[in-house]
Amino acid sequence: MPLGVPKVPHQHYEEEDAIWMDLYNKLYEERLLFLVKPLDDEIGNQLISMMVYLSLDDATQEQFLFIHCTGGPVIPGLAIYDTMQYIAPEVYTMVLGIAASMGSIILSGGYLGKRIAFPSATIMLHQPASTWTNGVSSRCIQNAEDLRMIRELIVEIYAERTKKEKCVIWNDLDRDHFMSAEETLEYGLVDLIIGKKRRAPSWLKKERKRGPIRRILHDEIASSGIRI
């Protein structure tokens, strides 16, 4: 029998009694966001609206975006990337599992110095693809031109975020380019590797710290032997 979305207790500082709320709503309130499935228009819209809302609610609080994504359409991915550049709060991007295709673009869009990989993460870059293959020759030519423009835009983003030459990025996109966390750090797509010692984070210990989850996470990143 499916369990559904777990509920956790939540107590507002002005209220005497705690209430039960959905786990994800609690995490969103703590500014912890998740892209943990293939990207599509609906997920893109949800992430963008949540980032904008949290930014308007408090522009001084950092946001944390956890990524485990095998990719998806280019347009929703670029929309998320642009949103992260636009909003006032600094956005941590944290890859665990895999960040492939547009997932790697979103990973790169985090605030410089706050793009994080977990030790076993895998990152993959490749060129954009089209699912449109049928039609008259003029449409095929136009489609190819559109793909070339999108590829140039993606190359420009990767080059800006990694400080690599565009010709290097262009060649790397010719095939599926898989990298480990260490290789991604060397490539310049992330800034830190967290949890190299694989110790239990403080918020999973029985006698954990008290306070906002985002602050505990922030302190854990700062004290966990991250590598720059």
Side-chain angles (χ1 to χ4, degrees), residues 4-134:
V5 179
K7 293 185 179 293
V8 295
H10 169 74
Q11 185 171 7
H12 194 270
Y13 69 92
E14 294 180 348
E15 299 175 350
E16 294 183 1
D17 299 324
I19 60 173
W20 291 91
M21 65 187 303
D22 290 347
L23 172 63
Y24 285 109
N25 288 334
K26 174 64 175 177
L27 293 173
Y28 294 155
E29 186 180 73
E30 297 285 354
R31 285 159 170 74
L32 307 182
L33 308 175
F34 298 86
L35 175 57
V36 290
K37 61 191 304 185
L39 181 63
D40 58 28
D41 288 334
E42 181 179 359
I43 296 171
N45 290 338
Q46 289 174 354
L47 274 176
I48 291 169
S49 59
M50 186 62 67
M51 287 180 178
V52 172
Y53 170 78
L54 293 175
S55 175
L56 294 174
D57 180 62
D58 189 342
T60 66
Q61 294 289 348
E62 299 158 323
Q63 298 179 19
F64 298 82
L65 176 58
F66 290 84
I67 301 170
H68 172 50
C69 176
T70 55
V74 171
I75 301 305
L78 292 178
I80 294 172
Y81 175 88
D82 286 343
T83 301
M84 288 193 291
Q85 312 314 307
Y86 169 74
I87 60 176
E90 298 174 359
V91 180
Y92 283 78
T93 50
M94 310 175 70
V95 54
L96 62 169
I98 188 169
S101 188
M102 288 312 297
S104 65
I105 286 281
I106 295 170
L107 170 66
S108 75
Y111 193 84
L112 292 178
K114 298 184 177 181
R115 303 171 302 174
I116 298 167
F118 283 77
S120 301
T122 299
I123 290 82
M124 188 270 280
L125 323 178
H126 66 183
Q127 60 183 309
S130 173
T131 58
W132 190 84
T133 56
N134 298 319

Side-chain angles (χ1 to χ4, degrees), residues 124-127 170-178:
M124 188 270 280
L125 323 178
H126 66 183
Q127 60 183 309
W170 188 276
N171 291 332
D172 288 342
L173 296 185
D174 279 341
R175 58 179 178 81
D176 291 349
H177 187 76
F178 287 89

